[in-house]
Amino acid sequence: MDVRYAVHPEHGKTFDTSALRRHFLIDDLFAPGEIRLTYSHVDRIIAGSAVPLNEALSLEAGSELGADFFFQRREAGIINIGGPGRIVTENQTYKLGPRDGLYLGAGTKEVRFESGSSDNPANFYINSAPAHKSCPSKIITLKDAKEVNLGSREESNERTIHQFVHPDVVESCQLVMGMTLLKDGSIWNTMPAHTHDRRMEVYLYFGMEEKTRVFHFIGEPSETRHIIVKNREAVIMPSWSIHSGVGTGRYAFIWGMVGENQTFTDMDHIAMEDLK
């Protein structure tokens, strides 16, 4: 498990490109036959992946959590962006097709990831947050997710937000998670940008061609920086940072938020003239 520490905004504005990438970019996800996790001290979110091949992969706590098992004091949202697979707990088997999701509540003692075929393995993307109560686990297909349509063709940001872990879909302790799919010809995932001081966020970019890149904007509104992101890389964004991106081609992204509330619309919009 890779551990990342919190960054103060006054410190963040001094970062060069390599420091920005070292602190905020997760670029080693989705390794065949492995579970890879990044633990961020920003609201203690864990972002990671599991790619089982012929053998199941078990999710264990590790010394970083100081727990008897991973979900002793945690919850998680999991979305599959690979081939068909299964997530097996101590009392349930959940079958996840491509772009299906699963919420696992605190108290789940055993979690194993399996693929239907090693030739087309499942690629499970994981967001986990601390949880002070246990909520029922639930599978959420793409059709089950709540759809919100935003943006316009004229602004090049026409998109559909699919809310998987959301109060209108499934109860959770604090995690909110979903997937945004852009319409053909749209390249901005949001602009004008915003912050939400009460919640941090992680973006996973996927569905990109090999040469496609996303220019992901990060930093305080008056001190913006950018990180160039490839397919299946993620960016950790503290609550003081904007988050917006523009792609050179087709892409999608999964977002996960942890913090003070679960109000999706609780955000502070930044006027274009205030961005620097």
Side-chain angles (χ1 to χ4, degrees), residues 11-39:
H11 187 199
K13 69 176 65 175
T14 69
F15 287 173
D16 61 11
T17 298
S18 62
L20 279 173
R21 296 176 69 85
R22 185 171 66 252
H23 284 278
F24 299 119
L25 181 68
I26 307 173
D27 61 358
D28 58 352
L29 291 162
F30 302 104
E34 295 184 23
I35 294 176
R36 293 194 171 181
L37 303 173
T38 295
Y39 182 113

Side-chain angles (χ1 to χ4, degrees), residues 141-176:
T141 68
L142 188 62
K143 292 182 179 180
D144 296 329
K146 180 181 178 181
E147 288 190 10
V148 178
N149 294 297
L150 292 176
S152 67
R153 182 175 299 179
E154 291 75 18
E155 296 172 305
S156 301
N157 65 356
E158 191 176 12
R159 61 202 187 276
T160 300
I161 298 171
H162 300 269
Q163 297 169 338
F164 281 73
V165 182
H166 182 278
D168 291 340
V169 181
V170 61
E171 181 187 10
S172 66
C173 180
Q174 66 162 322
L175 180 68
V176 182

Side-chain angles (χ1 to χ4, degrees), residues 99 182-187 206-209 212-214 231 247-252:
R99 300 191 178 183
L182 277 71
K183 305 292 186 182
D184 289 342
S186 287
I187 56 174
F206 72 102
M208 299 160 59
E209 298 293 335
T212 299
R213 297 291 184 270
V214 169
N231 189 39
T248 62
R250 179 189 293 273
Y251 69 94

Side-chain angles (χ1 to χ4, degrees), residues 1 12 23 25-26 28 44 67 80 94 99 178 196 217:
M1 189 182 295
H23 284 278
L25 181 68
I26 307 173
D28 58 352
R44 298 190 180 273
N80 180 19
Y94 302 94
R99 300 191 178 183
H196 27 74
F217 295 97

Side-chain angles (χ1 to χ4, degrees), residues 31-34 51-57 113-119 121-122:
E34 295 184 23
V51 185
L53 297 177
N54 293 313
E55 298 182 358
L57 298 175
F113 299 98
E114 300 177 354
S115 288
S117 169
S118 60
D119 294 329

